[in-house]
Amino acid sequence: PLATQTDATSTGTVTAAGVISAAPDKVLVLVFSDQVATNKNLGGKNRLDLSVIEVTMIKQGGRWVIDDLHPF
């Protein structure tokens, strides 16, 4: 509800990623991203948030899927 009330929008871009560890059916990846957010409360300005996320991926049915993720 708050996002609707403030006309909030958010877009993100992965800027880099790297493998921390890998096994045949599991991989741990460090993902760096930029997220641009805007809403009525920011006075027409955008806010840039830089994020680092640790992502665990597993091979399931022949595809790699996200199993878990945590802010780093």
Side-chain angles (χ1 to χ4, degrees):
L2 183 58
T4 302
Q5 292 171 0
T6 62
D7 291 330
T9 62
S10 177
T11 58
T13 304
V14 172
T15 57
V19 174
I20 297 171
S21 64
D25 60 349
K26 184 176 182 178
V27 65
L28 184 60
V29 180
L30 201 56
V31 177
F32 298 83
S33 69
D34 294 344
Q35 179 181 2
V36 178
T38 186
N39 65 51
K40 288 180 184 176
N41 296 335
L42 295 175
K45 296 182 180 180
N46 293 338
R47 184 183 74 215
L48 176 63
D49 295 321
L50 308 176
S51 300
V52 181
I53 307 162
E54 189 178 78
V55 182
T56 303
M57 300 183 75
I58 58 172
K59 198 166 191 178
Q60 195 173 65
R63 296 179 359 162
W64 287 96
V65 297
I66 295 174
D67 184 53
D68 197 14
L69 53 93
H70 299 279
F72 192 77

